[in-house]
Amino acid sequence: MLTKVVKFGGSSLADAEQFKKVAQIIKSDPARRYVVVSAPGKRFKEDTKVTDMLYRCYEMIRNREDVDAYYAKICDRYNGIIRELGLQFDISGELEYVKNAMKHASGRDFAASRGEYLNSLILAKYLGFSFIDAENVIFFKDNGSLDEERTNAVLSEELKKYNHAVIPGFYGIMPNGTIKTFSRGGSDITGSIVARAAEADLYENWTDVSGFLMGDPRVLKDPPTIDAISYRELRELSYMGATVLHDEAIFPVRYAGIPINIRNTNAPEDAGTMIVSDAAAYETPHVITGIAGKKGFSVIHIEKDMMNAEVGFGRRVLEILEDHEISFEHLPSGIDTMSIVVSSTALDGRRDRIIHSISRLVHADHVEILDGLCLIAVVGRGMVKAKGTAARVFNAVSAAGVNIRMIDQGSSELNIILGVDEDAYEIAMSAIFNEFVK
Ligand code: ASP
């Protein structure tokens, strides 16, 4: 029998109506055996996610404000879901316990994690599935990173005991017994960890969009959905700002070779996007798979005559950045010039010191920092085969009157990265999109 691990995001479980859709999706396929759950998200645009309400409770308690009235709103959300589902389930003892625990300094992560915990109890009850508490199966190390081996060993044994189970996302336990969460959106990671431990055939990640779009719909007109994308292509796109799935959610399933399918709870008939290790088998309708971009970069530009002949020059410059704990994004270089692209915020408060150190330590002729750069990544496994892709990208951008300040093509030929002025961001993105997609 096939095993699918399904994760439902906050908007998929925001109210009773959404719970009903989720139950229908799960019950329509017996392979959907293990369900990972987020906390109730927004029901409408101005709504507040339960996770954010819990963080707020934590702050109120810390500031010695009276939290009872605000906490009652969280209780209302859970009680409302239970009532509207017609469930015979009294969650008041749990709600009371959580409030008291928060008042007794159980920590910020504990507070936040209760959103997933309580929602999972309700969904497990509604589906008639077993409940596995993440604190018994997801382990962190003392340094805060996931203890992958222990988690996988314990979790896979635990899953074997149940045919069907609900597991809260987002949190696990530290060696000292305190609750710790992943970073925001971290239920995606839990889903991936469970998929690996269950040796699942598929990890379905259900959200409120029908997969990844080829680009940002706020910038581009009607970008199509990506049918299939490789893990590596996705890493490139999400690093540059495409957000549907948590960045770190790829790793557990990637090593196990389990595909991820992004699906839409509100449109379950849509096939969504498949994320796979080798997307070659999937036809790509376009040479490029997607475009993503990010503003807020600066270039440290260094000039020195005969730089190319000086052994160790690059290393010495990068050591200076290392001393300031700055990581660089790109390093396009000429014969007597070197440009280092870094995030502008990383330079805050230490620009002068960096310029001074570089000038002094490598005896540069000229060092300056240029701001206002945005990076655009054009990503696609199809680019390796299609001749002239780079030329098409550059022609499209220059025909739109945009000056290209930097070019970087990775040796994998999976992406081309351009740096343009921030105010030309939208124009450049649209020009590339229209060249390849329209
Ligand atoms: N509820 C958490 C958040 O809002 C985790 C998640 O939904 O993945 O970030």
Side-chain angles (χ1 to χ4, degrees):
M1 186 172 98
L2 287 184
T3 295
K4 294 180 185 171
V5 168
V6 288
K7 179 257 165 179
F8 289 89
S11 59
S12 301
L13 290 163
D15 59 24
E17 281 316 301
Q18 292 300 90
F19 264 70
K20 288 181 191 162
K21 290 183 196 169
V22 165
Q24 206 162 29
I25 289 166
I26 294 168
K27 297 281 170 157
S28 70
D29 183 351
R32 295 184 174 132
R33 296 174 52 204
Y34 301 119
V35 185
V36 174
V37 169
S38 274
K42 292 185 180 194
R43 293 159 293 182
F44 43 89
K45 206 161 162 271
E46 300 75 27
D47 202 11
T48 309
K49 290 178 169 193
V50 166
T51 309
D52 291 312
M53 297 175 86
L54 288 162
Y55 279 127
R56 173 95 200 276
C57 286
Y58 172 80
E59 292 303 330
M60 290 172 84
I61 291 168
R62 243 171 56 123
N63 299 334
R64 300 185 195 291
E65 290 169 45
D66 184 6
V67 76
D68 289 3
Y70 191 73
Y71 187 75
K73 291 189 196 173
I74 297 178
C75 300
D76 285 349
R77 285 203 61 176
Y78 287 112
N79 284 322
I81 292 172
I82 293 172
R83 193 177 54 247
E84 285 166 41
L85 291 177
L87 270 182
Q88 294 303 320
F89 183 39
D90 183 4
I91 203 170
S92 54
E94 292 282 353
L95 289 167
E96 199 53 32
Y97 177 84
V98 170
K99 186 167 80 176
N100 286 330
M102 286 201 292
K103 285 185 177 172
H104 291 95
S106 47
R108 187 171 187 267
D109 283 11
F110 170 83
S113 72
R114 294 305 92 182
E116 287 36 38
Y117 171 79
L118 296 163
N119 227 20
S120 300
L121 289 179
I122 300 174
L123 187 66
K125 189 86 187 164
Y126 187 48
L127 294 171
F129 283 14
S130 304
F131 170 76
I132 300 177
D133 194 343
E135 72 168 61
N136 299 323
V137 289
I138 306 271
F139 302 100
F140 290 98
K141 296 183 193 163
D142 275 323
N143 66 6
S145 65
L146 178 74
D147 187 339
E148 289 169 44
E149 268 171 46
R150 182 162 178 224
T151 298
N152 198 50
V154 175
L155 180 56
S156 53
E157 282 311 307
E158 190 66 12
L159 292 172
K160 282 186 195 137
K161 297 183 193 158
Y162 305 99
N163 257 330
H164 296 93
V166 175
I167 304 125
F170 194 35
Y171 70 93
I173 197 150
M174 290 291 285
N176 67 4
T178 53
I179 296 287
K180 176 175 165 50
T181 63
F182 293 107
S183 56
R184 294 301 301 266
S187 299
D188 285 343
I189 309 175
T190 310
S192 185
I193 293 168
V194 174
R196 177 183 168 207
E199 295 179 18
D201 300 281
L202 184 66
Y203 169 26
E204 287 179 344
N205 188 295
W206 292 81
T207 172
D208 53 7
V209 289
S210 295
F212 278 93
L213 299 177
M214 284 189 71
D216 185 343
R218 289 165 300 187
V219 178
L220 306 173
K221 196 167 175 308
D222 299 330
T225 303
I226 301 172
D227 298 333
I229 184 168
S230 67
Y231 297 126
R232 282 184 45 227
E233 287 173 303
L234 182 63
R235 281 285 296 155
E236 304 278 350
L237 286 177
S238 47
Y239 166 72
M240 291 292 277
T243 50
V244 173
L245 189 71
H246 193 293
D247 258 3
E248 293 162 44
I250 290 175
F251 298 110
V253 285
R254 177 178 180 170
Y255 294 125
I258 301 166
I260 308 174
N261 188 193
I262 306 290
R263 298 287 294 267
N264 188 348
T265 302
N266 304 320
E269 61 289 352
D270 290 353
T273 299
M274 285 296 283
I275 308 166
V276 292
S277 53
D278 183 7
Y282 293 83
E283 283 288 314
T284 41
H286 311 286
V287 172
I288 63 171
T289 305
I291 320 170
K294 215 159 138 181
K295 295 184 180 178
F297 292 97
S298 301
V299 183
I300 306 173
H301 179 75
I302 307 164
E303 283 176 25
K304 185 178 185 189
D305 283 346
M306 301 297 289
M307 182 193 286
N308 65 325
E310 199 178 315
V311 176
F313 184 90
R315 178 181 52 76
R316 285 197 293 277
V317 172
L318 294 181
E319 264 171 11
I320 297 168
L321 293 188
E322 196 179 334
D323 289 344
H324 285 88
E325 293 184 1
I326 294 176
S327 68
F328 71 91
E329 311 285 330
H330 296 280
L331 202 66
S333 300
I335 300 192
D336 289 334
T337 63
M338 179 172 174
S339 302
I340 311 169
V341 180
V342 297
S343 122
S344 305
T345 46
L347 298 174
D348 283 352
R350 40 194 170 182
R351 289 167 174 258
D352 291 344
R353 267 182 293 146
I354 289 171
I355 293 180
H356 182 72
S357 308
I358 296 176
S359 310
R360 198 168 47 86
L361 290 172
V362 297
H363 307 290
D365 297 330
H366 179 71
V367 184
E368 65 178 330
I369 295 179
L370 305 162
D371 294 317
L373 186 75
C374 77
L375 296 179
I376 296 176
V378 186
V379 176
R381 58 189 180 279
M383 292 185 342
V384 191
K385 282 179 270 153
K387 285 205 188 82
T389 309
R392 283 176 70 188
V393 172
F394 305 141
N395 284 338
V397 173
S398 51
V402 175
N403 178 31
I404 301 176
R405 282 175 50 186
M406 187 209 89
I407 299 169
D408 199 350
Q409 174 161 28
S411 52
S412 62
E413 287 197 46
L414 197 67
N415 64 3
I416 297 170
I417 296 186
L418 309 180
V420 301
D421 281 336
E422 275 179 353
D423 50 17
Y425 172 70
E426 280 83 6
I427 302 173
M429 290 277 277
S430 301
I432 300 167
F433 179 70
N434 292 338
E435 169 67 26
F436 288 96
V437 183
K438 283 284 133 102

